[in-house]
Amino acid sequence: MSIFRIGVWGLALLAPPASTVSVDEAILSDIMTSFVGHEASTCITADTASSTSFTFNWPGSSDPTSKWYPPHVGFEEDLFQAAMSHDDGSGRRSWTIRIGTGGNMYSHYAPDLHGESMAPQAHGDAPWIDEVQQQVAVNNNLNNQAPWNRPYFHHQAGAYQRDGSYTTVPFYSPSFARHCAGNTCTFASWGTQAHVPTPFTAP
């Protein structure tokens, strides 16, 4: 961000003040701490931060361990936003989760316990749209009500592939902000009308 100051003698470009807080971190912190009833995390960062790691860089497909439905494996890179891992050291509770662009968890892999806990994504028109951990919001005043009689569901993950040439590949909800530090990751995204085409419009 640059700061401009206009004076009698022209335009001066000033450097922004130094800060160690990213825009994403500032936005997410404001969102998460400003609502009524907010309670501080009970996670003890000092105890787990050293055994927690994360990346926003695509680490390659998780298919070799997760055994995804073969026709959908190629979509994972477009879906991927972050991976977060916990190393349990000598224990059996190590895990890695993968987060999609919608901020939803689409993979939970525990190598020494159950392996991959998410479904293999064989859903024909919804790879990593339905069978994931996500929030779903339904407007009961509009959902399947006259005059449209159409579903009104917002999926955190994205939209079904049911709109002809517009959805030949999955549409994953876009990310607005992301931040990871210590033993915590926070994400903000734009939830998507799941049932397309739709007569509903955004305000």
Side-chain angles (χ1 to χ4, degrees):
M1 180 176 85
S2 297
I3 300 172
F4 292 90
R5 177 180 292 163
I6 299 174
V8 175
W9 302 107
L11 179 68
L13 180 61
L14 305 176
S19 174
T20 58
V21 177
S22 69
V23 173
D24 282 14
E25 180 183 1
I27 290 170
L28 292 168
S29 177
D30 285 350
I31 291 170
M32 297 304 292
T33 59
S34 65
F35 62 88
V36 176
H38 168 73
E39 295 182 13
S41 173
T42 57
C43 294
I44 304 172
T45 303
D47 289 352
T48 58
S50 64
S51 59
T52 302
S53 61
F54 45 82
T55 183
F56 296 125
N57 298 319
W58 168 242
S61 175
S62 56
D63 180 58
T65 54
S66 297
K67 307 299 183 192
W68 303 122
Y69 181 57
H72 294 159
V73 169
F75 298 130
E76 186 187 2
E77 187 171 2
D78 291 334
L79 162 70
F80 178 84
Q81 177 170 215
M84 184 178 190
S85 300
H86 167 70
D87 183 353
D88 197 40
S90 60
R92 299 179 60 237
R93 297 181 182 173
S94 297
W95 49 261
T96 296
I97 60 173
R98 290 189 177 206
I99 308 298
T101 58
N104 59 289
M105 182 171 63
Y106 75 84
S107 173
H108 177 267
Y109 181 72
D112 300 318
L113 293 174
H114 48 70
E116 179 61 61
S117 63
M118 296 295 179
Q121 306 305 313
H123 195 307
D125 58 4
W128 291 291
I129 298 295
D130 242 6
E131 299 166 344
V132 295
Q133 294 291 322
Q134 67 174 323
Q135 294 181 9
V136 176
V138 181
N139 184 326
N140 288 322
N141 293 321
L142 296 175
N143 185 48
N144 292 317
Q145 301 295 318
W148 299 287
N149 297 310
R150 294 280 294 136
Y152 194 101
F153 284 68
H154 277 219
H155 275 196
Q156 183 182 2
Y160 293 117
Q161 293 177 258
R162 298 176 182 165
D163 195 9
S165 61
Y166 294 107
T167 54
T168 56
V169 296
F171 179 83
Y172 300 115
S173 294
S175 172
F176 281 170
R178 62 189 188 183
H179 176 71
C180 293
N183 62 356
T184 303
C185 287
T186 310
F187 305 93
S189 64
W190 184 276
T192 304
Q193 168 61 263
H195 297 272
V196 291
T198 181
F200 305 110
T201 59

